[in-house]
Amino acid sequence: MNIVIVGSGAMGLLFYQQLNTQADVRIKTRSNDNIYKSFTYTDLHGCNTSMQYQTADEAFMKTADIVLICVKSYDVANVVSSIKDSIAENTIIILMHNGMGVIEELNLTTSPKNPIYTLLTTQAARKLAKNHVKHTGIGINQIGPVNNHIGDREILDLLVELSTNDIGFEFCNSITLLQWKKLAINCAVNALTAINNINNGELSAAAYSKIIESITSEVIIVAELEGISLDITETLNTIKTVIKNTSMNSSSMREDVKNKRRTEVSYINGYIHNLGLRHGLLTPENTKLFEQVSNLEANYG
Ligand code: PAF
């Protein structure tokens, strides 16, 4: 099986490390060269391994069974548009990003005929340096279809079969429900940790419980208007568990702000704000977080 990973951020390199012994995996970089690049991988126990990957040239792109896109949500539409003519029509595109709203953008900017799936992961990884990734949390990977084109299920079954102790893929036909569940977590955790410059674990303090409840209630009401039913108690418990399990993590949005990079807030709290407006509903807590993080971004020195 040939797999192309687009994006050499923390998650792209983590998936490379986990899949490359089972399949021919190459990483797509901006140039179309076929060259070798190296990076250091630190596992969950702190052991370092030096790894090498081959970049994907045009010839390899044409043979890809799967293209796994691990870029920020705001880059997905451009990436899909830039690779769609280089891959075969039946190549399965798997998107892995935080937040929601990307699929709507794809419809506007491109019309890929390819089967498109979403991958939700609870694994965690962090870049310690440009060429150094650390695996920081185990988790599961769930994949589900997001367009009507199911594609070659055999390829996806093969991906599930590739699952090892290190990496497991599961199939899920109702991925939208899971996306909403993850969105609720990201709405509650990411902006608050970025604005207050704290690790995820600090959100378990009593001072944050009321605001987390208000943010989550708004997400649940908007989800309901979209035909998705989430239970408030269950969702709040999941958020608490994620905060506990990732207590030493610095959220992706906090890292983006610290490094003066664009954040994914428009696809997280901003998504709730905009969807709420479309339904004629105000979502004051999510709107406030959306504005606060957007202001931080606008004031990067
Ligand atoms: O974006 C993130 O950082 C992660 O999705 C999460 C779950 C908030 C943990 O840090």
Side-chain angles (χ1 to χ4, degrees):
M1 169 144 62
N2 291 351
I3 302 178
V4 171
I5 295 177
V6 185
S8 51
M11 294 312 290
L13 293 184
L14 177 69
F15 279 112
Y16 176 82
Q17 189 280 331
Q18 295 176 332
L19 288 167
N20 90 97
T21 52
Q22 338 269 332
D24 190 348
V25 188
R26 312 229 180 142
I27 297 188
K28 173 92 183 77
T29 56
R30 274 179 226 283
S31 74
N32 286 323
D33 303 343
N34 178 353
I35 53 168
Y36 285 92
K37 292 192 166 198
S38 51
F39 69 96
T40 304
Y41 168 75
T42 303
D43 71 15
L44 289 165
H45 313 287
C47 295
N48 288 340
T49 314
S50 203
M51 306 214 46
Q52 213 178 37
Y53 66 83
Q54 205 171 345
T55 57
D57 60 7
E58 285 286 315
F60 191 78
M61 292 299 285
K62 294 235 173 320
T63 69
D65 297 298
I66 293 176
V67 175
L68 173 59
I69 300 183
C70 301
V71 299
K72 295 280 188 182
S73 36
Y74 49 78
D75 277 333
V76 174
N78 280 340
V79 166
V80 172
S81 162
S82 71
I83 62 155
K84 78 177 183 359
D85 295 329
S86 313
I87 57 177
E89 269 190 17
N90 57 353
T91 299
I92 293 172
I93 298 176
I94 303 180
L95 311 177
M96 208 230 54
H97 58 83
N98 269 337
M100 288 178 76
V102 163
I103 298 304
E104 291 88 323
E105 286 183 357
L106 286 186
N107 290 340
L108 290 177
T109 57
T110 63
S111 51
K113 294 188 183 70
N114 301 68
I116 303 183
Y117 284 74
T118 271
L119 164 60
L120 294 177
T121 186
T122 52
Q123 296 200 91
R126 241 184 103 182
K127 272 281 189 80
L128 300 182
K130 193 170 181 292
N131 291 320
H132 189 175
V133 65
K134 182 172 168 30
H135 190 188
T136 52
I138 47 167
I140 52 163
N141 306 297
Q142 289 167 306
I143 301 183
V146 291
N147 65 358
N148 291 328
H149 192 156
I150 296 299
D152 188 347
R153 265 301 299 257
E154 271 178 34
I155 293 290
L156 291 158
D157 289 343
L158 213 60
L159 190 65
V160 174
E161 276 170 34
L162 290 185
S163 299
T164 62
N165 286 344
D166 264 357
I167 185 165
F169 289 102
E170 278 171 20
F171 253 105
C172 179
N173 278 326
S174 51
I175 200 78
T176 316
L177 176 65
L178 297 180
Q179 278 182 297
W180 273 96
K181 288 185 177 179
K182 179 147 169 44
L183 182 70
I185 297 168
N186 288 132
C187 280
V189 174
N190 292 34
L192 283 178
T193 52
I195 293 160
N196 296 295
N197 195 17
I198 51 177
N199 276 345
N200 294 356
E202 294 189 46
L203 293 179
S204 60
Y208 290 105
S209 69
K210 208 169 167 321
I211 181 150
I212 290 178
E213 225 177 286
S214 310
I215 298 164
T216 310
S217 307
E218 291 176 5
V219 174
I220 287 180
I221 295 169
V222 175
E224 196 72 52
L225 293 169
E226 289 286 300
I228 302 289
S229 175
L230 297 176
D231 179 75
I232 181 81
T233 312
E234 198 188 299
T235 310
L236 285 171
N237 283 340
T238 308
I239 293 169
K240 269 190 206 143
T241 308
V242 171
I243 289 172
K244 189 165 160 243
N245 290 349
T246 64
S247 62
M248 298 310 285
N249 277 24
S250 178
S251 78
S252 52
M253 196 175 288
R254 178 185 181 211
E255 285 303 302
D256 286 338
V257 170
K258 269 169 118 176
N259 291 295
K260 302 189 173 178
R261 288 188 301 245
R262 183 174 169 188
T263 74
E264 296 178 298
V265 74
S266 322
Y267 297 82
I268 300 175
N269 308 92
Y271 183 72
I272 295 299
H273 163 80
N274 287 318
L275 209 48
L277 287 186
R278 238 185 280 163
H279 287 286
L281 181 88
L282 295 179
T283 54
E285 296 300 345
N286 281 280
T287 301
K288 194 163 138 202
L289 294 176
F290 176 37
E291 285 171 358
Q292 283 179 318
V293 175
S294 303
N295 280 341
L296 287 176
E297 284 181 56
N299 289 315
Y300 288 159

